[in-house]
Amino acid sequence: MKIIIHGGFFSESDQSHEVKTAKQNSLKEIARKAFEFLQNHTSEETVVYAVSLLEDDVLFNAGIGSQIQSDGKIRMSASLMNGENQKFSGVINIENVKNPIDVAQVLMKEDDRVLGGIGAKKYAEEYGFKDFSTEIPQRRKEYEEKRINGGKGTVGCVALDQHGNLAAATSTGGKGFELVGRISDSATVAGNFANQYCAVSCTGVGEDIVSNATAAKIVIRVTDGMSIEKAFEKTFTELQEIDGFAGAIGIDKNGNIYHQDSHPTMVFASYDGREFEIFR
């Protein structure tokens, strides 16, 4: 059983040492809780649990930490993929829900598993998700001052359970001040993809991740026999050719964990029940 999570990027130029330490501590605690949860739950259930914890932490750009778009509203996207049954579900630009990843999980039982905007919100209401404002005073202040605090990123989790099944989940609050209707990579297979061989979650500039098909490429290359390390390296070499900004985390069917970023520093934590690895 293995777990790895990410929380976007950290920039020394616009974030303090105190923020860095807070993110390290938070990621370590969430990774620990998620690994404990994994002992008695599936990989799908675990990645949803971990991402919901990240959505509930104001340090990260998802859920209550989400950025504000150009019209002053918050819209979030999230997706889930089960590597065992190859099902993908997600919500795109959903408003006023506490945990978009939970809505994505409910959608797993539907034939229509990716919903956007008003339809996603209506579906959430029909399934008992209460209206919840994810805006916090800090984000409103940032919007009024026309600046973004915290840089580019999303949150995500990849897990391998005791039955050898993989899953990936990703959630984002957007890049801030984007055009209304903009769609990120987080609810696409470019940013979140899994099968029985490998699972990957991405963070960074959505347009770059989509152009590079980052998560899907890595997983397909592992499926075709490439090692997870080589699959990451080749995919990120191709990302560099378009000057792409991204980071990714992954686990293969053998429990090998790997992560890479094109621009330092992706914030992440992994745990296997014995050792933590945390970004520095």
Side-chain angles (χ1 to χ4, degrees), residues 22-81:
K23 287 189 173 184
Q24 289 171 328
N25 291 338
S26 179
L27 287 170
K28 183 176 181 179
E29 180 64 10
I30 291 173
R32 182 190 64 78
K33 287 181 177 179
F35 186 81
E36 290 179 355
F37 186 88
L38 183 59
Q39 308 308 299
N40 299 300
H41 296 84
T42 67
S43 56
E44 178 186 313
E45 292 166 335
T46 300
V47 296
V48 171
Y49 172 71
V51 167
S52 71
L53 294 179
L54 290 160
E55 289 174 337
D56 290 343
D57 192 324
V58 297
L59 288 168
F60 305 109
N61 179 21
I64 62 172
S66 295
Q67 299 287 353
I68 296 175
Q69 296 191 352
S70 59
D71 63 348
K73 294 183 179 181
I74 290 174
R75 298 177 180 89
M76 302 163 289
S77 297
S79 70
L80 169 66
M81 189 158 189

Side-chain angles (χ1 to χ4, degrees), residues 89-270:
S89 63
V91 292
I92 297 172
N93 287 332
I94 192 170
E95 297 181 45
N96 296 314
V97 296
K98 185 172 182 286
N99 296 106
I101 194 63
D102 288 342
V103 184
Q105 185 180 29
V106 175
L107 277 164
M108 269 291 191
K109 66 181 178 60
E110 304 288 354
D111 291 330
D112 304 324
R113 293 193 296 273
V114 181
L115 299 180
I118 295 173
K121 174 59 174 172
K122 182 179 178 181
Y123 180 87
E125 290 173 346
E126 290 175 352
Y127 279 86
F129 288 88
K130 296 180 179 178
D131 202 58
F132 182 91
S133 174
T134 52
E135 184 176 318
I136 57 176
Q138 176 188 352
R139 289 292 181 262
R140 179 56 53 181
K141 182 173 184 291
E142 289 165 7
Y143 177 77
E144 298 299 338
E145 293 175 353
K146 297 295 180 184
R147 68 180 180 87
I148 303 174
N149 179 21
K152 307 169 181 69
T154 65
V155 304
C157 178
V158 176
L160 174 69
D161 64 28
Q162 60 187 322
H163 304 294
N165 298 324
L166 291 155
T170 307
S171 181
T172 187
K175 65 180 182 179
F177 310 110
E178 60 263 66
L179 294 173
V180 177
R182 180 251 184 186
I183 296 172
S184 75
D185 66 289
S186 297
T188 76
V189 297
N192 191 75
F193 195 64
N195 66 12
Q196 62 181 307
Y197 296 96
C198 186
V200 173
S201 170
C202 295
T203 182
V205 176
E207 286 74 9
D208 294 345
I209 294 167
V210 168
S211 293
N212 188 50
T214 304
K217 273 186 179 178
I218 293 170
V219 172
I220 290 169
R221 283 170 170 156
V222 173
T223 302
D224 288 344
M226 192 176 287
S227 71
I228 190 170
E229 179 179 359
K230 294 298 183 183
F232 264 79
E233 290 177 354
K234 182 172 177 59
T235 304
F236 272 80
T237 295
E238 294 167 345
L239 183 70
Q240 290 172 358
E241 293 171 359
I242 61 170
D243 193 27
F245 189 119
I249 59 173
I251 304 176
D252 69 17
K253 66 176 183 178
N254 297 316
N256 296 307
I257 294 177
Y258 202 78
H259 56 84
Q260 189 167 340
D261 49 33
S262 62
H263 294 68
T265 300
M266 179 177 63
V267 305
F268 72 92
S270 65

Side-chain angles (χ1 to χ4, degrees), residues 9-17 19-20 23 59 149-151:
F9 281 82
F10 174 81
S11 170
E12 298 282 358
S13 64
D14 62 17
Q15 292 179 297
S16 67
H17 178 73
V19 169
K20 181 178 183 179
K23 287 189 173 184
L59 288 168
N149 179 21

